[in-house]
Amino acid sequence: MSLTSPALAGKLAGLQSSAIRDLLKLTARPEIISLAGGLPDAALMPGERIAAAAEAALRDPAVLQYTESPGWPALRAVIAERASAKIGRSVPVGEVFITHGSQQALSLLAEVLLDPGALVVVEDPAYVGALQVFRAAGARIVAVPLDADGLRVDVLEELLAAGERPAVVHTVANFHNPGGVTLAPERRRRLAELAEAHGFWVIEDDPYGELWFDQPAPAPVASYSPQVIRLSSVSKILAPALRVGWLIAPEKVCRAVELLKQGADLCGSALTHQITTDLLTDTDWLTAHVDTIRAAYGTRARALVAALRTTFADRVHCTDPTGGMFIWADFTDGTNASTLLPTALEAGVAYVPGAAFAVTDAYQTSMRLCFTTSDEPTLTEAVHRLARAATTSA
Amino acid sequence: MSLTSPALAGKLAGLQSSAIRDLLKLTARPEIISLAGGLPDAALMPGERIAAAAEAALRDPAVLQYTESPGWPALRAVIAERASAKIGRSVPVGEVFITHGSQQALSLLAEVLLDPGALVVVEDPAYVGALQVFRAAGARIVAVPLDADGLRVDVLEELLAAGERPAVVHTVANFHNPGGVTLAPERRRRLAELAEAHGFWVIEDDPYGELWFDQPAPAPVASYSPQVIRLSSVSKILAPALRVGWLIAPEKVCRAVELLKQGADLCGSALTHQITTDLLTDTDWLTAHVDTIRAAYGTRARALVAALRTTFADRVHCTDPTGGMFIWADFTDGTNASTLLPTALEAGVAYVPGAAFAVTDAYQTSMRLCFTTSDEPTLTEAVHRLARAATTSA
């Protein structure tokens, strides 16, 4: 039995079961209001519409069979059409590859694009699922901080000027997890220019782009260059259980991903692919459905931020509620969010300490607050509990 | 753009889009009777029963949410129960890990169990999907031939006596793909003993075990030792589109697989997991359903073998129709099945030449014939066309 092999130990060191998951287990107690999750609201998922789509899909036995590794052709076609509208150029079906959620897109791309030791630039604070993948691929990871306008592209430029040569720059440009911020349009353009000038790939990881509250997210980074690989999924607008994500990339990248997908798991589910096709092509229904989610999340996000600002005033700084699923909040008085957590749990509220997302900086005074699964009075009560905890521990 | 990196080239060299897949594209023409596929019959898949299960499942919004990486708990419980009955000991849920088809079980296990350069023993002819995975993992592959009683365990013993130390021995013990044979009970016991004596893992890959025609397959290799990791799926008895496979392994293996699964694709689909749970626990229905598949495949297999034996007599030797999806046939007169293929396609019949499955031997005179998706008159006609092709080319 060789589970102690050096190679496996190396892989698993980069794949520690994340602090978030362990925390989620602690916060499942019903008396705790959890802002620690990172899940969309199941109550807003279209169960009846999916049941109808399943019934319709199952009239064709082909949806029960193995399908092609790049995905069910009808789904690739509708994703190509939507991507064309989003990116502003005609995206051929050959540039669309359906994956088992966008996490699989990330992990297959890491295998395709990265040699061990290759440099990957990530955002700090970072999406933990991306860090896991890049660490498992043996990449060297350099973090570039976020500010209110997203990735500090000027800091990336300094790295490039200093001779760093990334293979990949990973960005959650819209409504960042955990940072809550959105990359400014001018920075998107500049990031794409740098990718072309220096020959690196940008992975534009966009699970939250549709979840804008007042105005749509800016044009994607991919609209500025074919050197940008876009990732997204239906997990946040339809349902995670469809396990439908995708990447939009040059055909040579898609072909390499296809060979790896065959070995990894052969193919996706034609059934959930066809259900997704049905829902995405029912455009009037889809627009109304996504509007409902936007309205609900927007109301919740604004309630959370209003409660934070009313309750803590200058003592907490938090991001504006513009979209996505998270608010990032900082104690300006130096309160340590990690050490506060046990007191907060006693007071009946949970969050994820910023340190869980830190690559270089520790983010000791920060918290990620998820507003998707609580109504407004509950979010307000959560903030009151947080205030009691912060007062107790002060 | 670094798609020409040595590391990727190495991976892809082991992952050539298989000869089978390329051939399938050629044989999709309607005038050709294809025995080249490897697909279960979609017409026998329980579409209506799955639609009913989907509707029932979707009454609980939890089936639309992300689920745990090792799988939907209810599905793990029913798989544990079925595995306990099959293996003959109480299998705890912690030893059950649900994967995206059994191909994902293989690929995650290869990452967990194999360091680059580790020795893997495979069967010859081999299941191509396993070869892909082991090659991609950088394993050294040694092939042990099959005979009418399955893996030549005596040849494995010779390798061990000569000092070879495999990390893994992979076997499709029941109704082999492509070889059609089943590992004899005494060999199963001996293989498990060798695993314990020499400290290697056996991966008992069992997609076809339920598809027996006259009598059930022998007790699994896993019934003889916990050093045997069992893989199976519902793809051949329910539907591939559920994408439900699993592995049964010691908990420490399952925990390592879980960390890799999180990075690979987070989790499976709670929806298809719950549908599968529903169908597997509806035991009266399931028994009748699987009996129907067995009866249909058995009738088809016997018709194919009868036609081969009637038509070719001594000129072709083929396996007995005992279960699974394939008959392995050899031209005893030296006819080369690879060079015959174009003539066979002209005559309107397709098969996969044995060479596509060869690890060491070339199997130049062999063919894999899949009987699952053709009725008896069609199979008989296919054999007549094959005879015409063989006569023409002789």
Side-chain angles (χ1 to χ4, degrees), chain A residues 1 5 7 11 15 40 63-66 100 103-104 107 111 115 236 240-241 243 252 259 263-265 267 269, chain B residues 1 5 7 11 40 63-66 100 103-104 107 111 115 227 236 240-241 243 252 259 263-265 267 269:
Chain A
M1 305 201 188
S5 82
K11 280 176 199 163
L15 286 172
V63 304
L64 292 173
Q65 192 55 280
Y66 291 98
H100 186 84
Q103 183 73 23
Q104 187 180 46
S107 65
E111 276 196 81
D115 292 326
K236 309 305 189 292
R243 306 312 292 128
K252 64 177 178 179
L259 294 174
D265 63 12
C267 64
S269 165
Chain B
M1 306 201 188
S5 81
K11 281 176 198 163
V63 304
L64 291 173
Q65 191 57 278
Y66 291 99
H100 186 84
Q103 182 73 23
Q104 186 181 47
S107 65
E111 276 197 79
D115 291 326
Q227 199 99 355
K236 309 305 187 290
R243 304 313 293 125
K252 64 178 178 177
L259 294 174
D265 62 13
C267 63
S269 165

Side-chain angles (χ1 to χ4, degrees), chain B residues 154-327:
Chain B
D154 60 315
V155 175
L156 174 63
E157 287 201 63
E158 287 167 17
L159 288 172
L160 293 165
E164 291 283 21
R165 287 295 170 264
V168 164
V169 174
H170 177 263
T171 178
V172 181
N174 294 326
F175 318 125
H176 193 270
N177 172 14
V181 295
T182 290
L183 190 64
E186 190 45 41
R187 292 192 187 177
R188 293 175 187 232
R189 178 190 302 277
R190 184 66 188 138
L191 178 58
E193 284 170 1
L194 292 171
E196 297 204 345
H198 294 274
F200 59 80
W201 294 98
V202 174
I203 297 180
E204 181 182 28
D205 197 348
D206 189 22
Y208 312 111
E210 301 291 324
L211 301 180
W212 48 269
F213 300 152
D214 294 315
Q215 54 179 345
V221 187
S223 65
Y224 298 101
S225 168
Q227 199 99 355
V228 179
I229 298 174
R230 254 185 80 75
L231 271 50
S232 192
S233 87
V234 298
S235 295
K236 309 305 187 290
I237 59 168
L238 297 176
L242 296 171
R243 304 313 293 125
V244 168
W246 57 85
L247 59 93
I248 311 290
E251 292 197 23
K252 64 178 178 177
V253 174
C254 289
R255 279 194 300 271
V257 168
E258 179 175 357
L259 294 174
L260 293 174
K261 170 90 176 166
Q262 288 176 10
D265 62 13
L266 290 180
C267 63
S269 165
L271 175 58
T272 67
H273 287 194
Q274 176 52 32
I275 291 170
T276 305
T277 305
D278 186 339
L279 271 60
L280 291 180
T281 50
D282 188 356
T283 50
D284 288 349
W285 171 84
L286 181 68
T287 300
H289 169 69
V290 177
D291 279 348
T292 303
I293 299 175
R294 277 184 199 123
Y297 287 1
T299 303
R300 292 170 194 175
R302 282 184 283 263
L304 173 62
V305 167
L308 285 167
R309 290 177 177 164
T310 305
T311 308
F312 286 96
D314 285 350
R315 204 179 153 199
V316 164
H317 174 262
C318 67
T319 51
D320 292 321
T322 59
M325 297 177 26
F326 305 102
I327 294 294

Side-chain angles (χ1 to χ4, degrees), chain A residues 33 35 303-312 349 369 376-390:
Chain A
I33 301 173
L35 311 184
L304 173 62
V305 167
L308 285 167
R309 290 177 177 164
T310 303
T311 308
F312 286 96
V349 61
L369 307 174
E376 299 90 89
T378 306
L379 289 162
T380 304
E381 172 61 20
V383 171
H384 292 160
R385 293 181 183 185
L386 184 63
R388 279 204 296 281

Side-chain angles (χ1 to χ4, degrees), chain B residues 73-144:
Chain B
L75 179 57
R76 293 175 77 198
V78 64
I79 297 297
E81 194 183 327
R82 289 169 61 88
S84 300
K86 175 90 57 185
I87 299 177
R89 66 174 174 85
S90 176
V91 174
V93 167
E95 295 185 12
V96 175
F97 196 99
I98 310 296
T99 53
H100 186 84
S102 61
Q103 182 73 23
Q104 186 181 47
L106 257 188
S107 65
L108 295 177
L109 279 175
E111 276 197 79
V112 165
L113 302 177
L114 301 176
D115 291 326
L119 174 62
V120 174
V121 170
V122 300
E123 294 163 321
D124 196 10
Y127 167 55
V128 173
L131 275 186
Q132 282 189 332
V133 163
F134 296 136
R135 285 178 179 153
R140 182 166 70 91
I141 293 170
V142 169
V144 168

